[in-house]
Amino acid sequence: MAKPTILAVDDDPVVSRAITRDLRDRFGADYRVVGATSGPGALELLTEFTLRGRAIALVVSDQRMPRMTGIELLEQVRSLSPDTKLLLLTAYADTDVAIRAINDIGLDYYMLKPWDPPQDKFFPVVEDLLGDWRDAHRDDSSQVRVVGHRWSDRSQEVKTFLAHNHVPYLWLDVERDEGARELAELAGAKASDLPLVLVPDGDPLRSPTNREVADALGLHTLADAPLYDLCIVGGGPAGLAAAVYASSEGLRTVVVERDAPGGQAGQSASIENYLGFPKGLSGADLTHRAVAQVARFGAEMVVAREAVGLRTRGPVRSVVIDGADELEARAVVIATGVSYRRLEAPGLEELGARGVHYGASASEAAQCEGEEVYLVGAANSAGQAALNLARYAKRVVMLVRGAGLELTMSQYLVSRITACTNIEVRLGCEVVAASGDGHLESLTLLYRATGETEAVETSWLFIFIGAMPRTDWLGDDVARDDHGFVVTGQDLMQGTGRSAWSAGRPPYALETSIPGVFAAGDVRLDSMKRVASAVGEGGMAVYLVHRFLATT
């Protein structure tokens, strides 16, 4: 395989040679580094590479060039090679132009000159961009294959588990793909064995549980130690932030996640208002970076295991996980987040996951190519999903009970949805029934203002309504409000929830009704329900854990 290409463009030959030399010294082992001294010259090279089938990983271009500006060049690069990463080198005076290019041409990053030394300022940026490019261009020879039926609940669950854990997989439908049927026959698989999960270095898995899939892939499903300083239940933004801060500060830390790291935020196609990422980033990217930090600082991540109970034994808190295992720790952070509320309409529960989806991952969006999909919800998560689905679907119909998106959605999303030609927003509209033979085939819609109903044909319904915390496992000793959200801090002093604070000191800000057990993120009563605030609460919880441990 030929090495992917990095192209550096600057009209000053001395600068062009210097950039090319620096890139070749640092990245030449894995990439072919080529230089050009003009926009037209760079386009000639890119055309040649494209015709020869050479992958172009990154184009680095100066902005101020006489025959063609850097942005003009990168705009044409985006047309020639849509997945190439684009880095603009510019002066402070051109900052506004560079920022506009993020929206206009999908510029990935811009850097102000000079950036000496490159080891500190230039190379880290390039490494991040190349890392993102590599993640999207992995070698298929080691890819997991899932052989199943499109309208199978278990097939959907396996695909979702793999996608949420950022495991690349190839989906093979036995109804549509002759190769899929041949693989099933070769494995001697019956209908009840589907989905069949084929891993490169293991035996075929027949209709496996998520834990069986995790074990086959070498994911961590068992804790290593008998006792930890901190056990974090939930691997969303709050839990991952707590793990980073705790482990980096010397606390022996374990994270228990029932599905996969990232939580609801990890499924987001684009988080555009997160500080420090002007182009935005996907939930998968944010999760990938956070998990790498967690591993770097030595925290353990246990996946595909669900917390089912919480016990207190003197100075030790014990988290009971499915399978009767227990994790003991001196302190606990509850960061289990929320899940989407179930839509109550006749026919939906009977259909299961066969066309009805709560949330939407990037892989599910890609499977809707050329089809008409319906989406229920009007919060930011619904808006981000609609925009992502619109990249593939023929038409996305948003069903909104209220009078307008502006009441519940950030303005930047409203503007983008309004400008998207294949997204239709129906206000004052809701789903009142669903039907289908083995899978979703039609919906009945109700228009609230007139009382009229309409039947529409579709095989795809995505639901983003409300938030339900997963807290039943906590038992009666942890105070919660009537909706299940965990009560913390000063609210405990007022007796809010099912039990109140009884220790001899005031509770810490994020502390629950059990001393030494804290809550952070969306699971907590009156939290902000934003990724940034969840990350902040995760860090704050660790500060409070230190204070608690210092007094015990």
Side-chain angles (χ1 to χ4, degrees):
M1 293 289 290
K3 294 179 182 178
T5 298
I6 297 173
L7 176 60
V9 189
D10 195 295
D11 64 304
D12 185 328
V14 175
V15 176
S16 179
R17 285 195 296 270
I19 296 174
T20 303
R21 181 194 63 238
D22 288 346
L23 289 170
R24 188 173 291 129
D25 288 347
R26 175 63 183 82
F27 302 102
D30 300 310
Y31 296 88
R32 178 173 180 251
V33 181
V34 180
T37 56
S38 71
L43 289 175
E44 288 181 10
L45 289 172
L46 288 166
T47 301
E48 176 188 338
F49 298 156
T50 302
L51 291 173
R52 294 184 179 183
R54 291 183 178 174
I56 305 158
L58 172 68
V59 175
V60 182
S61 177
D62 183 47
Q63 165 62 4
R64 295 194 174 189
M65 297 187 294
R67 298 175 60 190
M68 177 183 290
T69 69
I71 290 175
E72 290 171 342
L73 166 63
L74 296 180
E75 183 176 14
Q76 295 199 44
V77 173
R78 182 62 79 212
S79 299
L80 280 171
S81 182
D83 56 353
T84 294
K85 295 298 177 181
L86 308 180
L87 172 58
L88 184 71
L89 308 178
T90 187
Y92 181 79
D94 297 323
T95 299
D96 289 344
V97 176
I99 291 173
R100 285 198 300 272
I102 292 174
N103 291 325
D104 294 343
I105 67 169
L107 179 69
D108 292 289
Y109 204 89
Y110 70 91
M111 289 190 63
L112 301 181
K113 299 188 293 186
W115 55 76
D116 288 333
Q119 293 81 0
D120 295 339
K121 298 181 179 180
F122 185 46
F123 291 164
V125 170
V126 173
E127 285 171 355
D128 267 355
L129 293 173
L130 292 176
D132 291 344
W133 186 88
R134 283 196 305 272
D135 286 344
H137 297 79
R138 295 181 180 178
D139 181 8
D140 289 343
S141 63
S142 60
Q143 197 170 49
V144 174
R145 290 171 292 170
V146 181
V147 180
H149 191 291
R150 177 185 180 186
W151 305 120
S152 156
D153 285 348
R154 188 66 203 130
S155 292
Q156 291 295 333
E157 290 167 8
V158 167
K159 291 193 293 179
T160 298
F161 179 77
L162 292 171
H164 290 181
N165 278 282
H166 314 291
V167 177
Y169 69 90
L170 178 64
W171 166 245
L172 300 168
D173 191 330
V174 292
E175 279 197 340
R176 300 180 175 186
D177 191 329
E178 179 65 30
R181 292 191 289 274
E182 290 175 358
L183 284 172
E185 291 173 5
L186 190 62
K190 300 175 292 186
S192 59
D193 292 330
L194 300 179
L196 197 66
V197 180
L198 306 175
V199 295
D201 299 312
D203 295 330
L205 304 177
R206 302 168 189 272
S207 189
T209 64
N210 285 353
R211 184 175 176 183
E212 289 170 338
V213 174
D215 287 335
L217 294 172
L219 301 179
H220 207 55
T221 60
L222 295 172
D224 293 336
L227 178 67
Y228 295 85
D229 295 315
L230 177 62
C231 177
I232 301 166
V233 185
L240 293 173
V244 168
Y245 281 100
S247 55
S248 67
E249 293 167 9
L251 297 180
R252 184 153 198 184
T253 304
V254 62
V255 181
V256 181
E257 168 55 50
R258 73 169 188 167
D259 180 27
Q264 278 193 7
Q267 302 177 45
S268 176
S270 180
I271 303 171
E272 298 189 60
N273 56 359
Y274 194 75
L275 185 65
F277 292 86
K279 190 189 174 185
L281 75 168
S282 69
D285 189 18
L286 178 63
T287 301
H288 180 76
R289 293 168 187 263
V291 169
Q293 281 182 296
V294 170
R296 175 190 170 199
F297 289 119
E300 290 181 42
M301 179 77 70
V302 175
V303 299
R305 304 298 299 275
E306 183 171 9
V308 296
L310 177 66
R311 300 170 182 167
T312 301
R313 299 192 186 101
V316 172
R317 282 81 182 121
S318 176
V319 175
V320 184
I321 57 178
D322 58 327
D325 294 330
E326 294 190 33
L327 294 177
E328 293 188 334
R330 299 165 64 203
V332 171
V333 171
I334 302 165
T336 46
V338 293
S339 56
Y340 293 112
R341 184 165 55 84
R342 310 295 286 188
L343 180 60
E344 300 294 334
L348 285 178
E349 284 302 313
E350 293 81 356
L351 289 168
R354 300 182 298 277
V356 181
H357 306 269
Y358 289 85
S361 67
S363 61
E364 287 167 337
Q367 293 172 33
C368 300
E369 186 160 5
E371 301 195 38
E372 187 166 286
V373 305
Y374 285 75
L375 183 149
V376 179
N380 279 5
S381 56
Q384 290 158 350
L387 289 166
N388 188 43
L389 289 165
R391 297 169 55 202
Y392 303 94
K394 179 175 66 176
R395 185 168 70 128
V396 177
V397 182
M398 295 186 68
L399 307 176
V400 180
R401 284 172 55 94
L405 291 175
E406 295 83 0
L407 301 174
T408 52
M409 188 180 295
S410 296
Q411 185 57 48
Y412 78 93
L413 285 172
V414 175
S415 299
R416 291 186 60 196
I417 287 170
T418 302
C420 190
T421 57
N422 64 330
I423 296 181
E424 176 188 345
V425 180
R426 299 189 186 181
L427 302 176
C429 184
E430 59 184 292
V431 174
V432 293
S435 63
D437 183 10
H439 64 88
L440 177 66
E441 293 178 320
S442 70
L443 298 171
T444 302
L445 309 182
L446 169 67
Y447 296 92
R448 296 161 61 86
T450 63
E452 296 178 355
T453 61
E454 177 189 6
V456 297
E457 293 184 0
T458 184
S459 297
W460 299 94
L461 176 65
F462 295 92
I463 300 169
F464 297 80
I465 57 171
M468 294 194 327
R470 300 193 297 268
T471 54
D472 288 345
W473 63 279
L474 292 171
D476 292 337
D477 289 338
V478 175
R480 306 190 294 283
D481 76 350
D482 293 338
H483 300 287
F485 289 95
V486 177
V487 182
T488 58
Q490 290 301 310
D491 288 339
L492 292 167
M493 304 299 287
Q494 301 168 26
T496 305
R498 301 178 186 174
S499 60
W501 182 258
S502 58
R505 60 169 175 81
Y508 297 121
L510 301 181
E511 199 166 19
T512 72
S513 52
I514 298 180
V517 177
F518 300 82
D522 290 358
V523 74
R524 194 178 64 81
L525 178 64
D526 289 336
S527 65
M528 285 183 61
K529 308 296 185 290
R530 290 290 187 269
V531 175
S533 61
V535 170
E537 287 192 9
M540 181 179 174
V542 173
Y543 165 73
L544 299 174
V545 166
H546 279 296
R547 292 183 64 183
F548 170 76
L549 294 178
T551 63
T552 58

